[in-house]
Amino acid sequence: LPPAALTARTGESISITNVPVNITVPAGVTNASLQVTTAAEGLNLVATLPNVAVTATTALGNVNIAIASGTKIKAPSSWDGKIKLPEVQSNSSVFISGATVNAVIEVGSPDVSLTFDRAVRLLIPNQGDKSAGFMRNGVFVPITNTISADTQAAADSEISAGGEAAIKVGADLMIWTKHFTLFASYTPVVTNGGSSIPVNTGTISAVSGGTITLNGVKIDLPAGAG
C-alpha cells in the first residue's frame, strides 16, 4: 500500500493501524502524537508499527523520524498508547555541565519509557558537528556510541537493546535509537583543563631583562629597560 499522507495538529493524536504513513508536523504544532493499538505481554504493553515517516518543520529546520515496518514497541502497563511527535524544546530545558546546549528535541512519551526492537532514525538538521546525548531519569547521558553506516541494518545489528548511537551525515546529526526520550545536541566548553587557555609564565629583572608570556603573547625586555 502507498503511504497515507497525514498532517498533525496541536493537541491531537493520529491513529496508526497497519498502513504505512507519512506525517507532516507543521511549524508551531505542539503536543501532537501517534495513537497505537496495544496488547498485553506479561507485565508490559506492546505495539507493532507499520512504516512511519515523520517530517516536523522547526526553527532548526526539518526534523525527521523514520520507523521501519514491523518495529515492536514495549512499554509499561501504564502507557496510554501515545507516541509524542518530535517537538523542539527550549535549550534551557536541559542542563549539561561544561557544555553549551544547541538543540533539544522531545519525542516519545515524557512519563513512560518506550523501547524498540529495531532502531529508529532521528535526524536533527544542521547539528552534524555537535555532540549528542539524552535525558534519562533527570540525568543527562552523552551518546558515545557510533555505527559503521547510516543504515537500518547497521543500526539494528550494532546497537544493543535499549541503546543508541550517533553518526554525522553531511551537515546533519543522525541519532539511531532503540528508545524515545528527550534528545539534545551540545558543544563542550573548554575549561581551565583544556589547552586553549594561555598560561602566563616568565620572570623579568630590571637589570638583566628577560622574556615573559602574557595571555599567549611573548614579550622580550632588554637589559636595563626598567
Side-chain angles (χ1 to χ4, degrees):
L1 290 174
L6 304 171
T7 301
R9 293 179 174 83
T10 293
E12 295 185 4
S13 292
I14 295 174
S15 293
I16 299 298
T17 57
N18 58 351
V19 177
V21 289
N22 288 344
I23 297 171
T24 299
V25 184
V29 168
T30 59
N31 296 315
S33 60
L34 306 179
Q35 179 70 58
V36 300
T37 301
T38 62
E41 187 177 275
L43 299 177
N44 298 307
L45 293 176
V46 297
T48 302
L49 293 183
N51 190 287
V52 177
V54 180
T55 301
T57 303
T58 77
L60 299 170
N62 285 341
V63 174
N64 297 326
I65 286 181
I67 302 176
S69 177
T71 298
K72 185 177 178 181
I73 306 173
K74 182 182 289 187
S77 58
S78 58
W79 185 38
D80 60 4
K82 285 185 170 59
I83 303 170
K84 182 181 176 71
L85 290 171
E87 187 176 319
V88 173
Q89 304 293 336
S90 166
N91 288 351
S92 62
S93 64
V94 172
F95 172 75
I96 306 174
S97 178
T100 299
V101 178
N102 301 107
V104 179
I105 307 288
E106 184 179 11
V107 60
S109 173
D111 307 313
V112 177
S113 172
L114 303 180
T115 57
F116 306 87
D117 66 344
R118 302 189 69 187
V120 175
R121 184 177 187 260
L122 169 64
L123 181 155
I124 306 179
N126 306 310
Q127 300 291 307
D129 60 341
K130 306 295 191 294
S131 300
F134 62 94
M135 296 296 293
R136 173 171 283 161
N137 300 323
V139 177
F140 187 79
V141 181
I143 297 175
T144 57
N145 299 323
T146 189
I147 51 178
S148 59
D150 178 37
T151 64
Q152 187 74 50
D156 285 347
S157 63
E158 296 173 23
I159 297 174
S160 60
E164 67 291 312
I167 184 172
K168 177 182 179 180
V169 179
D172 302 325
L173 175 63
M174 226 61 63
I175 297 175
W176 284 90
T177 177
K178 292 183 178 178
H179 63 94
F180 268 170
T181 181
L182 199 71
F183 293 96
S185 64
Y186 66 97
T187 305
V189 175
V190 176
T191 61
N192 289 335
S195 59
S196 65
I197 305 298
V199 178
N200 297 329
T201 60
T203 58
I204 290 194
S205 162
V207 176
S208 60
T211 299
I212 186 169
T213 301
L214 183 62
N215 294 334
V217 178
K218 183 181 287 187
I219 302 172
D220 292 305
L221 291 182

